[in-house]
Each structure stands twice: as structure tokens, then as C-alpha cells.
Amino acid sequence: AATQSFARSPHTPSDLESAMGIISRSEAAADASAGDICVICAELYAQNKISDEVYLFDQAFGAKIKQHDYYTLIGYQFWARYVVKLMKKSSLFSSFVYFGTKPWITEMASIMSDRKIKGSIVGKIIMKFGIPICRILGKHLEGAVTCQFKKI
């Protein structure tokens, strides 16, 4: 059902997969547990709730965040790992997470497809507030780790 929500990009998933070295759904599940860049979408992908194409866009988006906004990645990964733990225990919770993240996923896919996929106003709002919140959290967490090292 999730794959029907998204228009096809000019690139096929196999083209993108080979270009980016994308992994299987079972490998995505392992990455979600191990702290992959995009842990929630990796788990949604492993549970077959998002399409191959959307997962590829998500991986590219995560790589951009890692390269250009590392504090946001640190903050996101901090709280997202707990969400994934609950997703693995409850399919109901996973469905709730999918419903709650679908606007973000739609907007992210729109951005990464150069707006060939229709975006989401709710997703834009979530990004407008979510990214700065994760960035602040990431800066705080990195500061806390730095302080711990200075005490030694």
C-alpha cells in the first residue's frame, strides 16, 4: 500500500540501488538495530511499509544530513533508536509510527526527487520543527560527551 502513494522517479530502484550500493530488507533491519543513519525508515523498510524507491531516497537524504548537518543526525539517532526497539516488539506501534512519519517520508521523497513526487505540507511543518530540535539535541549530546571526556 505504501508504494502506491508515491509516483515513480525517472530512475528505477535498481539503477539507484547499484549507484548507491543499497541493501536488502533483512540487512536494513540489522542496520536499524545497529544505528544506521536512517533508523526508523530502515525499520519501516525492513517491515515492508515503505517502497524500495522511497527507501533509496531516504538513504540519500540521510547521507546528506550526515555530511551537512551532523548534529541533527546525532540528535535524531538518539531518540529514534528507542522508537525502533518498540517497533520491533509491536506491529501496532510500527503502524502508528508509519502513520505519524508518512508526511515526513512524503516530503523527504519529494525533496530527493527534485519535486517529481508531490510533497506534504504537514511533512514540511514536521521538518521545519523536527530538524532544529534534533540539531539542538545533537549539540547538547555531543557537548555532554565532550564534558565526560574532559573530566577523565
Side-chain angles (χ1 to χ4, degrees), residues 40-78:
I40 292 174
C41 283
E43 184 60 27
L44 290 170
Y45 179 72
Q47 293 185 16
N48 209 28
K49 293 186 185 301
I50 61 174
S51 70
D52 293 339
E53 181 180 37
V54 170
Y55 182 66
L56 296 173
F57 286 137
D58 180 66
Q59 291 297 297
F61 185 82
K64 284 180 75 171
I65 293 290
K66 182 177 183 180
Q67 182 179 8
H68 299 290
D69 198 354
Y70 193 67
Y71 289 118
T72 298
L73 178 64
I74 292 169
Y76 162 73
Q77 287 180 338
F78 175 77

Side-chain angles (χ1 to χ4, degrees), residues 2-3 5 10 13 31 41 56 72 81 88 95 101 103 106 109-110 116 131-132 141 148:
T3 57
S5 310
D31 285 349
C41 283
L56 296 173
T72 298
R81 63 184 172 186
K88 288 178 180 292
S95 295
T101 58
T106 302
S110 179
K116 291 178 178 82
I131 290 173
L141 290 168
Q148 289 293 332

Side-chain angles (χ1 to χ4, degrees), residues 10-11 57 64 108-117:
H11 303 287
F57 286 137
K64 284 180 75 171
M108 173 276 307
S110 179
I111 290 167
M112 297 311 294
S113 70
D114 294 324
R115 299 292 180 189
K116 291 178 178 82
I117 295 172

Side-chain angles (χ1 to χ4, degrees), residues 105-130:
I105 292 168
T106 302
E107 183 59 21
M108 173 276 307
S110 179
I111 290 167
M112 297 311 294
S113 70
D114 294 324
R115 299 292 180 189
K116 291 178 178 82
I117 295 172
K118 186 178 180 196
S120 164
I121 294 171
V122 173
K124 286 179 188 179
I125 293 167
I126 294 169
M127 284 187 171
K128 182 176 175 92
F129 292 100

